[in-house]
Amino acid sequence: MGDFSRYKGDTDRVTTRKFRRFKKDGKKIAVLTAYDYPTARILDTAGIDCILVGDSAGTVVAGYENTLPVTMDEMIFLCKAVSKGAKRALVVGDMPFMSFQKSESDAIENAGRFLKEGGAAAVKLEGGSEIAPLILKMVDFGIPVMGHIGLTPQSINKFGGHIVMGKTEKQKSYLLQSAKALQDAGCFAIVLESVLPDMARAITESIRIPTIGIGAGVHCDGQVLVVSDMIGLFEDFRPKFVRAYADAAGLIRKAAKEYIDDVKNGRFPGDEETYK
Ligand code: KIV
């Protein structure tokens, strides 16, 4: 078989197509967020399948109370940096609050910016069956879309807080119907956030595209965490579903204390850090 690809890096790159194959083959998908070049590079070389440039940047990078203030320009800046660092992983840009709700043309233009300017290969939109017609258009125009249902943080004011989804019959039927509608609209994957594990399992078994869980139990086809939570960098709060694999905050604080001590006591810079 010859190589028919005209595009640089096509062979090893994780693609939206490969996502569907992962599910078919029963291979779990590992996703993390990132917001800058060095982190993206580290995650990429560690073998992560997908990097989500999440609007969680609003809380874990900018220190806002929630994700609502994040703008398109801020997301594009972060996405550009992440795309530079991700050579293999699929990069997905998260469409911020009010970047896709105003009008269809606005939504498509903003989604396109993630691919044209941000270097992403796909976008993520929060919402269920009500945004399926919009997603269908985006996919038709060549913009791959990752769905996001369950707890959708951009609707925090509608929900009245961070609540677990899939408890009531109404929520259950909305979630199942939305997952199917997003699949039919052409989504290549769907994030399930804060969904009861039985519900997440039922959704995962009812659709052909992979589900990526966050606080949705072990039965999803993949998992996503916010990198700042996963490395123990973000200290303001830690949701129950987070596992901290490192103590980055402790490491940085310890290094900063040593540096401060060295500067104050004239031990930095030393001879080896001084031009001669
Ligand atoms: O913004 C984000 O990081 C997300 C993930 C938590 C799924 O949407």
Side-chain angles (χ1 to χ4, degrees):
M1 272 289 262
D3 178 8
F4 296 102
S5 172
R6 299 178 55 213
Y7 303 101
K8 232 168 81 181
D10 265 4
T11 43
D12 197 30
R13 177 68 87 173
V14 178
T15 59
T16 55
R17 208 182 147 96
K18 283 188 188 165
F19 255 57
R20 258 165 271 158
R21 169 125 324 265
F22 288 151
K23 175 154 182 156
K24 249 191 176 161
D25 295 347
K27 286 188 185 150
K28 293 269 189 184
I29 302 166
V31 184
L32 281 168
T33 67
Y35 317 98
D36 59 49
Y37 168 78
T39 309
R41 215 171 131 66
I42 293 166
L43 302 183
D44 195 63
T45 51
I48 201 77
D49 296 312
C50 172
I51 301 181
L52 170 68
V53 187
D55 67 351
S56 49
T59 44
V60 301
V61 175
Y64 304 146
E65 203 175 305
N66 55 49
T67 60
L68 302 192
V70 178
T71 67
M72 266 305 296
D73 286 344
E74 287 166 345
M75 289 304 297
I76 295 295
F77 173 77
L78 303 176
C79 197
K80 275 184 185 172
V82 168
S83 298
K84 282 245 172 228
K87 303 283 178 238
R88 177 188 166 271
L90 178 80
V91 175
V92 178
D94 204 4
M95 295 200 67
F97 184 56
M98 281 300 141
S99 67
F100 61 93
Q101 291 90 342
K102 277 180 270 175
S103 70
E104 193 179 277
S105 67
D106 204 47
I108 290 168
E109 188 177 334
N110 283 328
R113 284 189 67 194
F114 275 100
L115 274 65
K116 275 177 86 80
E117 297 173 44
V123 296
K124 177 172 81 59
L125 271 73
E126 293 186 10
S129 46
E130 68 283 358
I131 57 165
L134 174 64
I135 291 175
L136 185 68
K137 278 260 161 65
M138 288 181 176
V139 175
D140 266 357
F141 290 146
I143 304 168
V145 177
M146 176 182 263
H148 184 161
I149 56 174
L151 173 73
T152 44
Q154 290 173 14
S155 303
I156 179 126
N157 290 312
K158 184 170 100 183
F159 295 139
H162 286 98
I163 51 171
V164 178
M165 293 291 175
K167 286 188 175 168
T168 66
E169 287 309 314
K170 196 172 160 203
Q171 283 174 2
K172 281 183 197 171
S173 73
Y174 171 73
L175 286 172
L176 276 167
Q177 182 221 331
S178 287
K180 176 86 174 53
L182 294 180
Q183 169 182 262
D184 293 347
C187 281
F188 69 93
I190 303 177
V191 169
L192 302 181
E193 179 163 354
S194 296
V195 170
L196 285 176
D198 283 352
M199 189 65 225
R201 180 181 214 159
I203 295 170
T204 301
E205 287 172 357
S206 74
I207 55 176
R208 295 179 307 279
I209 56 173
T211 57
I212 309 296
I214 174 160
V218 77
H219 302 297
C220 297
D221 299 303
Q223 297 291 330
V224 57
L225 280 178
V226 167
V227 72
S228 327
D229 293 333
M230 192 278 296
I231 61 169
L233 178 65
F234 186 67
E235 295 183 299
D236 290 11
F237 57 89
R238 182 173 295 169
K240 175 179 168 54
F241 54 77
V242 168
R243 183 180 296 173
Y245 285 82
D247 176 23
L251 212 72
I252 295 172
R253 194 171 289 111
K254 182 171 173 288
K257 278 185 175 163
E258 279 175 31
Y259 168 76
I260 293 163
D261 198 47
D262 282 353
V263 170
K264 302 251 181 217
N265 290 290
R267 288 191 301 268
F268 179 84
D271 273 358
E272 60 279 27
E273 293 109 2
T274 303
Y275 291 119
K276 297 211 167 76

